[in-house]
Amino acid sequence: LDADRHALSASVYHQALGIKERELSNLTDYLTNIGTQSAFMFGFGVGMFSVEIPEDTPKYLTYLYYAFATTCLGAEMYCLSNSTLCTILAPTIALNGPRGSVHAAVSGMYQERDNIWRVFAIGSMGFCANFFTWIWIMLLQYRTWEHIGIAVLCSLIFIVAAVIVIRGVRRIFSRFELKQTEVSKKQISGADFLKKQTAASALTAISKESSAANL
């Protein structure tokens, strides 16, 4: 009976380990993609500082432009560095660490994924706000009603596009959101599963012994 229990325990552990390895691979691909997008945004943020601002630009627009550019640059630098570290260090500790390291690596990557995604969203908003500010900087230098009208039209189109993108992001997140309450109701803990399987193995052993005694 002890041998069956140990064999069952090892089987359950290896099955759970296989699931965690799939989660680790999925999270690695996820953070790699975010890191790639952050690298592109970081390059755009560097390019924002190479643009010459017209001398007659209002001071508040100049301040806003560089503030949004710095926000984009700093946020994407955070995402790039942290996603790279996670995709390198987490699989390393999962492979070379002691027993339970895979679970610890997956748990840590889930926590870092949320932080990286939030900062990536901040950097993306900084990039969009910087581009919005640049529209007004370029068109206000002519100081004619025609160019102001063009700036207003571009601003309205930009705002509508931003609203559509935000609504799309919220719809996709709500559609693919996995609520923790639903998971907890359907999920069976490894300890409970092991107890049930141990009890079943004990009943099987008892029935075999009874059959052997009758013979």
Side-chain angles (χ1 to χ4, degrees), residues 193-207:
F193 178 78
L194 185 60
K195 290 179 181 178
K196 291 180 180 180
Q197 294 298 321
T198 303
S201 299
L203 291 176
T204 302
I206 292 173
S207 62

Side-chain angles (χ1 to χ4, degrees), residues 128-187:
C128 294
N130 181 269
F131 186 77
F132 182 82
T133 306
W134 178 248
I135 292 175
W136 283 92
I137 291 176
M138 289 300 298
L139 295 176
L140 280 182
Q141 64 178 325
Y142 300 103
R143 300 188 183 280
T144 62
W145 288 107
E146 180 182 359
H147 290 87
I148 293 176
I150 295 174
V152 172
L153 178 61
C154 293
S155 300
L156 292 176
I157 296 174
F158 188 89
I159 292 172
V160 171
V163 171
I164 293 174
V165 170
I166 292 173
R167 292 183 62 182
V169 170
R170 293 182 62 183
R171 184 185 68 253
I172 293 173
F173 267 100
S174 61
R175 176 171 296 177
F176 296 106
E177 181 183 9
L178 186 61
K179 297 181 180 179
Q180 191 64 30
T181 55
E182 296 178 357
V183 175
S184 59
K185 289 180 181 178
K186 298 179 181 179
Q187 208 172 36

Side-chain angles (χ1 to χ4, degrees), residues 6-184:
H6 288 299
L8 181 61
S9 176
S11 176
V12 171
Y13 176 77
H14 285 295
Q15 290 177 6
L17 188 62
I19 295 174
K20 288 298 179 182
E21 288 177 349
R22 293 181 181 179
E23 286 187 86
L24 183 66
S25 177
N26 180 54
L27 288 169
T28 301
D29 293 339
Y30 182 99
L31 293 176
T32 300
N33 290 330
I34 290 184
T36 302
Q37 299 301 320
S38 299
F40 282 115
M41 298 291 287
F42 183 82
F44 292 143
V46 172
M48 293 173 187
F49 287 93
S50 62
V51 176
E52 293 186 4
I53 304 296
E55 295 181 358
D56 56 347
T57 302
K59 294 297 183 181
Y60 70 93
L61 285 179
T62 304
Y63 290 146
L64 287 176
Y65 178 84
Y66 285 113
F68 291 139
T70 306
T71 300
C72 175
L73 192 64
E76 301 306 333
M77 182 169 57
Y78 173 90
C79 295
L80 179 60
S81 59
N82 283 265
S83 61
T84 302
L85 289 174
C86 285
T87 55
I88 293 175
L89 297 180
T92 301
I93 192 175
L95 292 174
N96 301 322
R99 181 169 180 170
S101 297
V102 177
H103 295 72
V106 170
S107 178
M109 290 185 77
Y110 271 121
Q111 296 175 4
E112 294 298 330
R113 181 194 66 171
D114 295 338
N115 295 330
I116 292 172
W117 171 251
R118 292 190 187 97
V119 178
F120 179 77
I122 293 173
S124 300
M125 289 187 291
F127 174 79
C128 294
N130 181 269
F131 186 77
F132 182 82
T133 306
W134 178 248
I135 292 175
W136 283 92
I137 291 176
M138 289 300 298
L139 295 176
L140 280 182
Q141 64 178 325
Y142 300 103
R143 300 188 183 280
T144 62
W145 288 107
E146 180 182 359
H147 290 87
I148 293 176
I150 295 174
V152 172
L153 178 61
C154 293
S155 300
L156 292 176
I157 296 174
F158 188 89
I159 292 172
V160 171
V163 171
I164 293 174
V165 170
I166 292 173
R167 292 183 62 182
V169 170
R170 293 182 62 183
R171 184 185 68 253
I172 293 173
F173 267 100
S174 61
R175 176 171 296 177
F176 296 106
E177 181 183 9
L178 186 61
K179 297 181 180 179
Q180 191 64 30
T181 55
E182 296 178 357
V183 175
S184 59

